Amino acid sequence: MKHLISSLLLLAALPSFAQSTKTIKQSGNPVFSGWYADPEAAIFNHKYWVYPTYSAKYKEQVFLDAFSSDDLTSWKKHDHILDTAAVKWANKAMWAPAIVQKDKKYYLFFGANDIQSDQEIGGIGVAVADKPEGPFKDHLGKPLVDKFYNGAQPIDQFVFKDKDGQYYLIYGGWQHCNIAKLNKDFTGFLPFDDGKIFKEITPEHYVEGPYMFMRNGKYYFMWSEGGWTGPDYSVAYAIGDTPFGPFKRIGKILKQDPKIATGAGHHSVIMNEKKNQYYIVYHRRPLTETDGNHRVTCIDEMKFDQDGNILPIKITNEGVKAQKAK
Ligand code: FUB
């Protein structure tokens, strides 16, 4: 009799056990397969989107793919959302997309050609589409930024929307970061009060990959440090009161873990400020790989302390729990 009762109790507990195993669906890291770096994440129409660099030899980087997901765990690939065939001035090294939805259009800012001097053709371009999956077309027929200003290589673009609705382009490689005020249709820039177009906001140890977001009225500025082909690539941050800083480096929050992966860097953030839920979307190199381009896209949780400082991120193989996009 005793046995019968305990078996019945066990059976009664089964449905809730099944339910609890259902709720622990994890993304795993990397979140999708393939060599993909510099992931830019966004939420459009209750779907997560990731726009990464296709991580291959420069000559083979002639397109961008995108990925979408309802819950961060299953990802659908959208092939060739932008191709150099649609951008007459671009022919290699299509890098680090930044996406913006504005006036029912989607704008994809990208770097192309990895220019080494003002004499070369290339820089930062803008493409436009009616849907997040494209197809994207060249918006300008020429680069938006095609020269070095304040020493910044025109790559690694990010578009920040301030609380007053103003969009800013924040970008730069070669250890220099600029901010510039975008005009309404993203065809050019508006000068600052002092007449300048590009203001330098480079913090200490900045290399590339800038990112900005707001939390509790403060401006969080993040960037990558170290060399992207090596193990020490990492992310650091500063907090400011305006998008122009000043930004005093606080410290590193993302780096390699010898048990998990190397070269963790060039990231973006998915956030739900009301729920205080933040995810860092970044690339890293599997421990088995040494080729610079062998980078994979991963997602882990980002947490803050009581004073608003970002806590060091624990990079994982498990990734994050399933979570609907809001
Ligand atoms: O993927 C190409 C380059 O690698 C990016 O522009 C850099 O930020 C680095 O991640």
Side-chain angles (χ1 to χ4, degrees), residues 281-304:
V281 187
Y282 62 98
H283 75 239
R284 68 192 196 197
R285 189 167 296 104
L287 292 176
T288 49
E289 306 299 319
T290 48
D291 184 318
N293 279 314
H294 288 181
R295 300 175 289 175
V296 291
T297 292
C298 299
I299 306 183
D300 277 304
E301 267 193 83
M302 187 165 97
K303 294 187 175 148
F304 297 80

mmCIF file with all atom_site columns, all heavy atoms in Angstrom, residues 281-304:
data_model
loop_
_atom_site.group_PDB
_atom_site.id
_atom_site.type_symbol
_atom_site.label_atom_id
_atom_site.label_alt_id
_atom_site.label_comp_id
_atom_site.label_asym_id
_atom_site.label_entity_id
_atom_site.label_seq_id
_atom_site.pdbx_PDB_ins_code
_atom_site.Cartn_x
_atom_site.Cartn_y
_atom_site.Cartn_z
_atom_site.occupancy
_atom_site.B_iso_or_equiv
_atom_site.pdbx_formal_charge
_atom_site.auth_seq_id
_atom_site.auth_comp_id
_atom_site.auth_asym_id
_atom_site.auth_atom_id
_atom_site.pdbx_PDB_model_num
ATOM 1   N N   . VAL A 1 281 ? 25.748 40.476 -26.626 1.00 0.00 ? 281 VAL A N   1
ATOM 2   C CA  . VAL A 1 281 ? 25.865 39.662 -27.847 1.00 0.00 ? 281 VAL A CA  1
ATOM 3   C C   . VAL A 1 281 ? 27.254 39.978 -28.398 1.00 0.00 ? 281 VAL A C   1
ATOM 4   O O   . VAL A 1 281 ? 27.557 41.146 -28.661 1.00 0.00 ? 281 VAL A O   1
ATOM 5   C CB  . VAL A 1 281 ? 24.760 40.054 -28.853 1.00 0.00 ? 281 VAL A CB  1
ATOM 6   C CG1 . VAL A 1 281 ? 24.766 39.112 -30.051 1.00 0.00 ? 281 VAL A CG1 1
ATOM 7   C CG2 . VAL A 1 281 ? 23.394 40.052 -28.182 1.00 0.00 ? 281 VAL A CG2 1
ATOM 8   N N   . TYR A 1 282 ? 28.113 38.995 -28.524 1.00 0.00 ? 282 TYR A N   1
ATOM 9   C CA  . TYR A 1 282 ? 29.521 39.257 -28.827 1.00 0.00 ? 282 TYR A CA  1
ATOM 10  C C   . TYR A 1 282 ? 30.096 38.099 -29.625 1.00 0.00 ? 282 TYR A C   1
ATOM 11  O O   . TYR A 1 282 ? 29.433 37.069 -29.822 1.00 0.00 ? 282 TYR A O   1
ATOM 12  C CB  . TYR A 1 282 ? 30.308 39.429 -27.512 1.00 0.00 ? 282 TYR A CB  1
ATOM 13  C CG  . TYR A 1 282 ? 30.302 38.177 -26.643 1.00 0.00 ? 282 TYR A CG  1
ATOM 14  C CD1 . TYR A 1 282 ? 31.380 37.287 -26.654 1.00 0.00 ? 282 TYR A CD1 1
ATOM 15  C CD2 . TYR A 1 282 ? 29.206 37.867 -25.848 1.00 0.00 ? 282 TYR A CD2 1
ATOM 16  C CE1 . TYR A 1 282 ? 31.364 36.128 -25.893 1.00 0.00 ? 282 TYR A CE1 1
ATOM 17  C CE2 . TYR A 1 282 ? 29.184 36.706 -25.081 1.00 0.00 ? 282 TYR A CE2 1
ATOM 18  C CZ  . TYR A 1 282 ? 30.265 35.840 -25.107 1.00 0.00 ? 282 TYR A CZ  1
ATOM 19  O OH  . TYR A 1 282 ? 30.233 34.681 -24.365 1.00 0.00 ? 282 TYR A OH  1
ATOM 20  N N   . HIS A 1 283 ? 31.310 38.266 -30.103 1.00 0.00 ? 283 HIS A N   1
ATOM 21  C CA  . HIS A 1 283 ? 31.962 37.125 -30.752 1.00 0.00 ? 283 HIS A CA  1
ATOM 22  C C   . HIS A 1 283 ? 33.149 36.652 -29.903 1.00 0.00 ? 283 HIS A C   1
ATOM 23  O O   . HIS A 1 283 ? 33.676 37.409 -29.083 1.00 0.00 ? 283 HIS A O   1
ATOM 24  C CB  . HIS A 1 283 ? 32.387 37.449 -32.197 1.00 0.00 ? 283 HIS A CB  1
ATOM 25  C CG  . HIS A 1 283 ? 33.594 38.331 -32.316 1.00 0.00 ? 283 HIS A CG  1
ATOM 26  N ND1 . HIS A 1 283 ? 33.593 39.542 -32.963 1.00 0.00 ? 283 HIS A ND1 1
ATOM 27  C CD2 . HIS A 1 283 ? 34.875 38.180 -31.871 1.00 0.00 ? 283 HIS A CD2 1
ATOM 28  C CE1 . HIS A 1 283 ? 34.791 40.077 -32.917 1.00 0.00 ? 283 HIS A CE1 1
ATOM 29  N NE2 . HIS A 1 283 ? 35.588 39.266 -32.255 1.00 0.00 ? 283 HIS A NE2 1
ATOM 30  N N   . ARG A 1 284 ? 33.530 35.416 -30.115 1.00 0.00 ? 284 ARG A N   1
ATOM 31  C CA  . ARG A 1 284 ? 34.703 34.854 -29.432 1.00 0.00 ? 284 ARG A CA  1
ATOM 32  C C   . ARG A 1 284 ? 35.271 33.731 -30.301 1.00 0.00 ? 284 ARG A C   1
ATOM 33  O O   . ARG A 1 284 ? 34.646 33.311 -31.288 1.00 0.00 ? 284 ARG A O   1
ATOM 34  C CB  . ARG A 1 284 ? 34.307 34.340 -28.041 1.00 0.00 ? 284 ARG A CB  1
ATOM 35  C CG  . ARG A 1 284 ? 33.392 33.128 -28.056 1.00 0.00 ? 284 ARG A CG  1
ATOM 36  C CD  . ARG A 1 284 ? 32.821 32.854 -26.669 1.00 0.00 ? 284 ARG A CD  1
ATOM 37  N NE  . ARG A 1 284 ? 32.259 31.521 -26.595 1.00 0.00 ? 284 ARG A NE  1
ATOM 38  C CZ  . ARG A 1 284 ? 31.415 31.127 -25.652 1.00 0.00 ? 284 ARG A CZ  1
ATOM 39  N NH1 . ARG A 1 284 ? 31.040 31.952 -24.701 1.00 0.00 ? 284 ARG A NH1 1
ATOM 40  N NH2 . ARG A 1 284 ? 30.960 29.882 -25.638 1.00 0.00 ? 284 ARG A NH2 1
ATOM 41  N N   . ARG A 1 285 ? 36.435 33.252 -29.916 1.00 0.00 ? 285 ARG A N   1
ATOM 42  C CA  . ARG A 1 285 ? 37.104 32.206 -30.709 1.00 0.00 ? 285 ARG A CA  1
ATOM 43  C C   . ARG A 1 285 ? 37.104 30.902 -29.912 1.00 0.00 ? 285 ARG A C   1
ATOM 44  O O   . ARG A 1 285 ? 37.553 30.893 -28.742 1.00 0.00 ? 285 ARG A O   1
ATOM 45  C CB  . ARG A 1 285 ? 38.542 32.655 -31.015 1.00 0.00 ? 285 ARG A CB  1
ATOM 46  C CG  . ARG A 1 285 ? 39.279 31.778 -32.009 1.00 0.00 ? 285 ARG A CG  1
ATOM 47  C CD  . ARG A 1 285 ? 40.540 32.439 -32.509 1.00 0.00 ? 285 ARG A CD  1
ATOM 48  N NE  . ARG A 1 285 ? 40.236 33.643 -33.255 1.00 0.00 ? 285 ARG A NE  1
ATOM 49  C CZ  . ARG A 1 285 ? 40.397 34.883 -32.797 1.00 0.00 ? 285 ARG A CZ  1
ATOM 50  N NH1 . ARG A 1 285 ? 40.939 35.108 -31.617 1.00 0.00 ? 285 ARG A NH1 1
ATOM 51  N NH2 . ARG A 1 285 ? 40.058 35.916 -33.529 1.00 0.00 ? 285 ARG A NH2 1
ATOM 52  N N   . PRO A 1 286 ? 36.609 29.811 -30.507 1.00 0.00 ? 286 PRO A N   1
ATOM 53  C CA  . PRO A 1 286 ? 36.637 28.536 -29.781 1.00 0.00 ? 286 PRO A CA  1
ATOM 54  C C   . PRO A 1 286 ? 38.076 28.168 -29.401 1.00 0.00 ? 286 PRO A C   1
ATOM 55  O O   . PRO A 1 286 ? 39.025 28.498 -30.121 1.00 0.00 ? 286 PRO A O   1
ATOM 56  C CB  . PRO A 1 286 ? 36.077 27.535 -30.794 1.00 0.00 ? 286 PRO A CB  1
ATOM 57  C CG  . PRO A 1 286 ? 35.300 28.361 -31.773 1.00 0.00 ? 286 PRO A CG  1
ATOM 58  C CD  . PRO A 1 286 ? 35.990 29.688 -31.838 1.00 0.00 ? 286 PRO A CD  1
ATOM 59  N N   . LEU A 1 287 ? 38.232 27.463 -28.285 1.00 0.00 ? 287 LEU A N   1
ATOM 60  C CA  . LEU A 1 287 ? 39.572 27.111 -27.778 1.00 0.00 ? 287 LEU A CA  1
ATOM 61  C C   . LEU A 1 287 ? 40.380 26.305 -28.791 1.00 0.00 ? 287 LEU A C   1
ATOM 62  O O   . LEU A 1 287 ? 41.608 26.340 -28.783 1.00 0.00 ? 287 LEU A O   1
ATOM 63  C CB  . LEU A 1 287 ? 39.441 26.302 -26.477 1.00 0.00 ? 287 LEU A CB  1
ATOM 64  C CG  . LEU A 1 287 ? 38.892 27.056 -25.262 1.00 0.00 ? 287 LEU A CG  1
ATOM 65  C CD1 . LEU A 1 287 ? 38.729 26.113 -24.076 1.00 0.00 ? 287 LEU A CD1 1
ATOM 66  C CD2 . LEU A 1 287 ? 39.784 28.234 -24.897 1.00 0.00 ? 287 LEU A CD2 1
ATOM 67  N N   . THR A 1 288 ? 39.671 25.596 -29.685 1.00 0.00 ? 288 THR A N   1
ATOM 68  C CA  . THR A 1 288 ? 40.372 24.756 -30.668 1.00 0.00 ? 288 THR A CA  1
ATOM 69  C C   . THR A 1 288 ? 40.920 25.568 -31.839 1.00 0.00 ? 288 THR A C   1
ATOM 70  O O   . THR A 1 288 ? 41.619 25.026 -32.692 1.00 0.00 ? 288 THR A O   1
ATOM 71  C CB  . THR A 1 288 ? 39.372 23.721 -31.242 1.00 0.00 ? 288 THR A CB  1
ATOM 72  O OG1 . THR A 1 288 ? 38.187 24.439 -31.635 1.00 0.00 ? 288 THR A OG1 1
ATOM 73  C CG2 . THR A 1 288 ? 39.034 22.648 -30.238 1.00 0.00 ? 288 THR A CG2 1
ATOM 74  N N   . GLU A 1 289 ? 40.585 26.872 -31.935 1.00 0.00 ? 289 GLU A N   1
ATOM 75  C CA  . GLU A 1 289 ? 40.907 27.665 -33.130 1.00 0.00 ? 289 GLU A CA  1
ATOM 76  C C   . GLU A 1 289 ? 41.983 28.717 -32.875 1.00 0.00 ? 289 GLU A C   1
ATOM 77  O O   . GLU A 1 289 ? 42.006 29.332 -31.808 1.00 0.00 ? 289 GLU A O   1
ATOM 78  C CB  . GLU A 1 289 ? 39.651 28.404 -33.622 1.00 0.00 ? 289 GLU A CB  1
ATOM 79  C CG  . GLU A 1 289 ? 38.459 27.507 -33.873 1.00 0.00 ? 289 GLU A CG  1
ATOM 80  C CD  . GLU A 1 289 ? 38.714 26.464 -34.939 1.00 0.00 ? 289 GLU A CD  1
ATOM 81  O OE1 . GLU A 1 289 ? 39.336 26.788 -35.969 1.00 0.00 ? 289 GLU A OE1 1
ATOM 82  O OE2 . GLU A 1 289 ? 38.286 25.307 -34.732 1.00 0.00 ? 289 GLU A OE2 1
ATOM 83  N N   . THR A 1 290 ? 42.832 28.934 -33.904 1.00 0.00 ? 290 THR A N   1
ATOM 84  C CA  . THR A 1 290 ? 43.803 30.033 -33.811 1.00 0.00 ? 290 THR A CA  1
ATOM 85  C C   . THR A 1 290 ? 43.667 30.982 -35.007 1.00 0.00 ? 290 THR A C   1
ATOM 86  O O   . THR A 1 290 ? 44.178 32.101 -34.970 1.00 0.00 ? 290 THR A O   1
ATOM 87  C CB  . THR A 1 290 ? 45.246 29.491 -33.762 1.00 0.00 ? 290 THR A CB  1
ATOM 88  O OG1 . THR A 1 290 ? 45.393 28.523 -34.797 1.00 0.00 ? 290 THR A OG1 1
ATOM 89  C CG2 . THR A 1 290 ? 45.573 28.881 -32.414 1.00 0.00 ? 290 THR A CG2 1
ATOM 90  N N   . ASP A 1 291 ? 42.993 30.569 -36.068 1.00 0.00 ? 291 ASP A N   1
ATOM 91  C CA  . ASP A 1 291 ? 42.771 31.436 -37.227 1.00 0.00 ? 291 ASP A CA  1
ATOM 92  C C   . ASP A 1 291 ? 41.981 32.668 -36.771 1.00 0.00 ? 291 ASP A C   1
ATOM 93  O O   . ASP A 1 291 ? 40.934 32.540 -36.128 1.00 0.00 ? 291 ASP A O   1
ATOM 94  C CB  . ASP A 1 291 ? 41.966 30.644 -38.279 1.00 0.00 ? 291 ASP A CB  1
ATOM 95  C CG  . ASP A 1 291 ? 41.766 31.426 -39.575 1.00 0.00 ? 291 ASP A CG  1
ATOM 96  O OD1 . ASP A 1 291 ? 41.481 32.646 -39.496 1.00 0.00 ? 291 ASP A OD1 1
ATOM 97  O OD2 . ASP A 1 291 ? 41.888 30.823 -40.659 1.00 0.00 ? 291 ASP A OD2 1
ATOM 98  N N   . GLY A 1 292 ? 42.490 33.872 -37.096 1.00 0.00 ? 292 GLY A N   1
ATOM 99  C CA  . GLY A 1 292 ? 41.852 35.111 -36.672 1.00 0.00 ? 292 GLY A CA  1
ATOM 100 C C   . GLY A 1 292 ? 40.377 35.188 -37.035 1.00 0.00 ? 292 GLY A C   1
ATOM 101 O O   . GLY A 1 292 ? 39.571 35.755 -36.300 1.00 0.00 ? 292 GLY A O   1
ATOM 102 N N   . ASN A 1 293 ? 40.032 34.655 -38.193 1.00 0.00 ? 293 ASN A N   1
ATOM 103 C CA  . ASN A 1 293 ? 38.640 34.764 -38.647 1.00 0.00 ? 293 ASN A CA  1
ATOM 104 C C   . ASN A 1 293 ? 37.699 33.738 -38.032 1.00 0.00 ? 293 ASN A C   1
ATOM 105 O O   . ASN A 1 293 ? 36.483 33.826 -38.249 1.00 0.00 ? 293 ASN A O   1
ATOM 106 C CB  . ASN A 1 293 ? 38.568 34.662 -40.175 1.00 0.00 ? 293 ASN A CB  1
ATOM 107 C CG  . ASN A 1 293 ? 38.897 35.999 -40.800 1.00 0.00 ? 293 ASN A CG  1
ATOM 108 O OD1 . ASN A 1 293 ? 38.394 37.035 -40.357 1.00 0.00 ? 293 ASN A OD1 1
ATOM 109 N ND2 . ASN A 1 293 ? 39.771 35.989 -41.788 1.00 0.00 ? 293 ASN A ND2 1
ATOM 110 N N   . HIS A 1 294 ? 38.220 32.791 -37.318 1.00 0.00 ? 294 HIS A N   1
ATOM 111 C CA  . HIS A 1 294 ? 37.349 31.764 -36.751 1.00 0.00 ? 294 HIS A CA  1
ATOM 112 C C   . HIS A 1 294 ? 36.679 32.281 -35.470 1.00 0.00 ? 294 HIS A C   1
ATOM 113 O O   . HIS A 1 294 ? 37.038 31.941 -34.365 1.00 0.00 ? 294 HIS A O   1
ATOM 114 C CB  . HIS A 1 294 ? 38.123 30.467 -36.532 1.00 0.00 ? 294 HIS A CB  1
ATOM 115 C CG  . HIS A 1 294 ? 38.425 29.784 -37.829 1.00 0.00 ? 294 HIS A CG  1
ATOM 116 N ND1 . HIS A 1 294 ? 39.086 28.610 -37.936 1.00 0.00 ? 294 HIS A ND1 1
ATOM 117 C CD2 . HIS A 1 294 ? 38.116 30.141 -39.115 1.00 0.00 ? 294 HIS A CD2 1
ATOM 118 C CE1 . HIS A 1 294 ? 39.191 28.259 -39.214 1.00 0.00 ? 294 HIS A CE1 1
ATOM 119 N NE2 . HIS A 1 294 ? 38.618 29.191 -39.939 1.00 0.00 ? 294 HIS A NE2 1
ATOM 120 N N   . ARG A 1 295 ? 35.666 33.102 -35.717 1.00 0.00 ? 295 ARG A N   1
ATOM 121 C CA  . ARG A 1 295 ? 34.931 33.756 -34.621 1.00 0.00 ? 295 ARG A CA  1
ATOM 122 C C   . ARG A 1 295 ? 33.469 33.353 -34.672 1.00 0.00 ? 295 ARG A C   1
ATOM 123 O O   . ARG A 1 295 ? 32.896 33.222 -35.761 1.00 0.00 ? 295 ARG A O   1
ATOM 124 C CB  . ARG A 1 295 ? 35.066 35.282 -34.757 1.00 0.00 ? 295 ARG A CB  1
ATOM 125 C CG  . ARG A 1 295 ? 36.510 35.741 -34.702 1.00 0.00 ? 295 ARG A CG  1
ATOM 126 C CD  . ARG A 1 295 ? 36.647 37.223 -34.963 1.00 0.00 ? 295 ARG A CD  1
ATOM 127 N NE  . ARG A 1 295 ? 36.390 37.587 -36.340 1.00 0.00 ? 295 ARG A NE  1
ATOM 128 C CZ  . ARG A 1 295 ? 36.360 38.846 -36.777 1.00 0.00 ? 295 ARG A CZ  1
ATOM 129 N NH1 . ARG A 1 295 ? 36.551 39.838 -35.952 1.00 0.00 ? 295 ARG A NH1 1
ATOM 130 N NH2 . ARG A 1 295 ? 36.134 39.109 -38.050 1.00 0.00 ? 295 ARG A NH2 1
ATOM 131 N N   . VAL A 1 296 ? 32.880 33.157 -33.512 1.00 0.00 ? 296 VAL A N   1
ATOM 132 C CA  . VAL A 1 296 ? 31.484 32.714 -33.440 1.00 0.00 ? 296 VAL A CA  1
ATOM 133 C C   . VAL A 1 296 ? 30.669 33.690 -32.586 1.00 0.00 ? 296 VAL A C   1
ATOM 134 O O   . VAL A 1 296 ? 31.206 34.345 -31.691 1.00 0.00 ? 296 VAL A O   1
ATOM 135 C CB  . VAL A 1 296 ? 31.363 31.282 -32.857 1.00 0.00 ? 296 VAL A CB  1
ATOM 136 C CG1 . VAL A 1 296 ? 31.913 30.242 -33.826 1.00 0.00 ? 296 VAL A CG1 1
ATOM 137 C CG2 . VAL A 1 296 ? 32.067 31.162 -31.506 1.00 0.00 ? 296 VAL A CG2 1
ATOM 138 N N   . THR A 1 297 ? 29.375 33.745 -32.867 1.00 0.00 ? 297 THR A N   1
ATOM 139 C CA  . THR A 1 297 ? 28.501 34.690 -32.164 1.00 0.00 ? 297 THR A CA  1
ATOM 140 C C   . THR A 1 297 ? 27.848 34.031 -30.946 1.00 0.00 ? 297 THR A C   1
ATOM 141 O O   . THR A 1 297 ? 27.277 32.946 -31.054 1.00 0.00 ? 297 THR A O   1
ATOM 142 C CB  . THR A 1 297 ? 27.438 35.226 -33.146 1.00 0.00 ? 297 THR A CB  1
ATOM 143 O OG1 . THR A 1 297 ? 28.120 36.030 -34.111 1.00 0.00 ? 297 THR A OG1 1
ATOM 144 C CG2 . THR A 1 297 ? 26.387 36.064 -32.444 1.00 0.00 ? 297 THR A CG2 1
ATOM 145 N N   . CYS A 1 298 ? 27.956 34.700 -29.808 1.00 0.00 ? 298 CYS A N   1
ATOM 146 C CA  . CYS A 1 298 ? 27.490 34.153 -28.525 1.00 0.00 ? 298 CYS A CA  1
ATOM 147 C C   . CYS A 1 298 ? 26.648 35.193 -27.777 1.00 0.00 ? 298 CYS A C   1
ATOM 148 O O   . CYS A 1 298 ? 26.769 36.396 -28.035 1.00 0.00 ? 298 CYS A O   1
ATOM 149 C CB  . CYS A 1 298 ? 28.694 33.794 -27.653 1.00 0.00 ? 298 CYS A CB  1
ATOM 150 S SG  . CYS A 1 298 ? 29.736 32.538 -28.409 1.00 0.00 ? 298 CYS A SG  1
ATOM 151 N N   . ILE A 1 299 ? 25.825 34.703 -26.845 1.00 0.00 ? 299 ILE A N   1
ATOM 152 C CA  . ILE A 1 299 ? 25.030 35.607 -26.000 1.00 0.00 ? 299 ILE A CA  1
ATOM 153 C C   . ILE A 1 299 ? 25.149 35.163 -24.545 1.00 0.00 ? 299 ILE A C   1
ATOM 154 O O   . ILE A 1 299 ? 24.995 33.980 -24.240 1.00 0.00 ? 299 ILE A O   1
ATOM 155 C CB  . ILE A 1 299 ? 23.531 35.603 -26.404 1.00 0.00 ? 299 ILE A CB  1
ATOM 156 C CG1 . ILE A 1 299 ? 23.378 35.905 -27.915 1.00 0.00 ? 299 ILE A CG1 1
ATOM 157 C CG2 . ILE A 1 299 ? 22.736 36.618 -25.584 1.00 0.00 ? 299 ILE A CG2 1
ATOM 158 C CD1 . ILE A 1 299 ? 21.957 36.003 -28.405 1.00 0.00 ? 299 ILE A CD1 1
ATOM 159 N N   . ASP A 1 300 ? 25.416 36.123 -23.681 1.00 0.00 ? 300 ASP A N   1
ATOM 160 C CA  . ASP A 1 300 ? 25.424 35.839 -22.244 1.00 0.00 ? 300 ASP A CA  1
ATOM 161 C C   . ASP A 1 300 ? 24.746 36.992 -21.508 1.00 0.00 ? 300 ASP A C   1
ATOM 162 O O   . ASP A 1 300 ? 24.525 38.062 -22.080 1.00 0.00 ? 300 ASP A O   1
ATOM 163 C CB  . ASP A 1 300 ? 26.863 35.633 -21.739 1.00 0.00 ? 300 ASP A CB  1
ATOM 164 C CG  . ASP A 1 300 ? 27.337 34.199 -21.991 1.00 0.00 ? 300 ASP A CG  1
ATOM 165 O OD1 . ASP A 1 300 ? 26.645 33.269 -21.513 1.00 0.00 ? 300 ASP A OD1 1
ATOM 166 O OD2 . ASP A 1 300 ? 28.359 34.010 -22.672 1.00 0.00 ? 300 ASP A OD2 1
ATOM 167 N N   . GLU A 1 301 ? 24.448 36.745 -20.249 1.00 0.00 ? 301 GLU A N   1
ATOM 168 C CA  . GLU A 1 301 ? 23.768 37.772 -19.454 1.00 0.00 ? 301 GLU A CA  1
ATOM 169 C C   . GLU A 1 301 ? 24.716 38.857 -19.004 1.00 0.00 ? 301 GLU A C   1
ATOM 170 O O   . GLU A 1 301 ? 25.893 38.587 -18.709 1.00 0.00 ? 301 GLU A O   1
ATOM 171 C CB  . GLU A 1 301 ? 23.150 37.128 -18.219 1.00 0.00 ? 301 GLU A CB  1
ATOM 172 C CG  . GLU A 1 301 ? 21.716 36.714 -18.462 1.00 0.00 ? 301 GLU A CG  1
ATOM 173 C CD  . GLU A 1 301 ? 21.041 36.391 -17.157 1.00 0.00 ? 301 GLU A CD  1
ATOM 174 O OE1 . GLU A 1 301 ? 20.578 37.329 -16.489 1.00 0.00 ? 301 GLU A OE1 1
ATOM 175 O OE2 . GLU A 1 301 ? 21.015 35.194 -16.824 1.00 0.00 ? 301 GLU A OE2 1
ATOM 176 N N   . MET A 1 302 ? 24.197 40.097 -18.939 1.00 0.00 ? 302 MET A N   1
ATOM 177 C CA  . MET A 1 302 ? 24.999 41.216 -18.445 1.00 0.00 ? 302 MET A CA  1
ATOM 178 C C   . MET A 1 302 ? 24.279 41.772 -17.227 1.00 0.00 ? 302 MET A C   1
ATOM 179 O O   . MET A 1 302 ? 23.089 42.061 -17.291 1.00 0.00 ? 302 MET A O   1
ATOM 180 C CB  . MET A 1 302 ? 25.095 42.266 -19.550 1.00 0.00 ? 302 MET A CB  1
ATOM 181 C CG  . MET A 1 302 ? 26.030 43.388 -19.249 1.00 0.00 ? 302 MET A CG  1
ATOM 182 S SD  . MET A 1 302 ? 26.413 44.342 -20.750 1.00 0.00 ? 302 MET A SD  1
ATOM 183 C CE  . MET A 1 302 ? 25.249 45.667 -20.564 1.00 0.00 ? 302 MET A CE  1
ATOM 184 N N   . LYS A 1 303 ? 25.000 41.905 -16.127 1.00 0.00 ? 303 LYS A N   1
ATOM 185 C CA  . LYS A 1 303 ? 24.371 42.355 -14.870 1.00 0.00 ? 303 LYS A CA  1
ATOM 186 C C   . LYS A 1 303 ? 25.064 43.600 -14.325 1.00 0.00 ? 303 LYS A C   1
ATOM 187 O O   . LYS A 1 303 ? 26.216 43.857 -14.665 1.00 0.00 ? 303 LYS A O   1
ATOM 188 C CB  . LYS A 1 303 ? 24.419 41.239 -13.837 1.00 0.00 ? 303 LYS A CB  1
ATOM 189 C CG  . LYS A 1 303 ? 23.554 40.063 -14.274 1.00 0.00 ? 303 LYS A CG  1
ATOM 190 C CD  . LYS A 1 303 ? 23.444 39.030 -13.197 1.00 0.00 ? 303 LYS A CD  1
ATOM 191 C CE  . LYS A 1 303 ? 22.469 37.945 -13.621 1.00 0.00 ? 303 LYS A CE  1
ATOM 192 N NZ  . LYS A 1 303 ? 22.785 36.653 -13.102 1.00 0.00 ? 303 LYS A NZ  1
ATOM 193 N N   . PHE A 1 304 ? 24.370 44.294 -13.452 1.00 0.00 ? 304 PHE A N   1
ATOM 194 C CA  . PHE A 1 304 ? 24.872 45.552 -12.883 1.00 0.00 ? 304 PHE A CA  1
ATOM 195 C C   . PHE A 1 304 ? 24.911 45.445 -11.360 1.00 0.00 ? 304 PHE A C   1
ATOM 196 O O   . PHE A 1 304 ? 24.107 44.712 -10.770 1.00 0.00 ? 304 PHE A O   1
ATOM 197 C CB  . PHE A 1 304 ? 23.946 46.706 -13.259 1.00 0.00 ? 304 PHE A CB  1
ATOM 198 C CG  . PHE A 1 304 ? 23.873 46.946 -14.745 1.00 0.00 ? 304 PHE A CG  1
ATOM 199 C CD1 . PHE A 1 304 ? 23.069 46.142 -15.557 1.00 0.00 ? 304 PHE A CD1 1
ATOM 200 C CD2 . PHE A 1 304 ? 24.603 47.960 -15.337 1.00 0.00 ? 304 PHE A CD2 1
ATOM 201 C CE1 . PHE A 1 304 ? 23.008 46.346 -16.923 1.00 0.00 ? 304 PHE A CE1 1
ATOM 202 C CE2 . PHE A 1 304 ? 24.547 48.170 -16.709 1.00 0.00 ? 304 PHE A CE2 1
ATOM 203 C CZ  . PHE A 1 304 ? 23.740 47.361 -17.505 1.00 0.00 ? 304 PHE A CZ  1
#
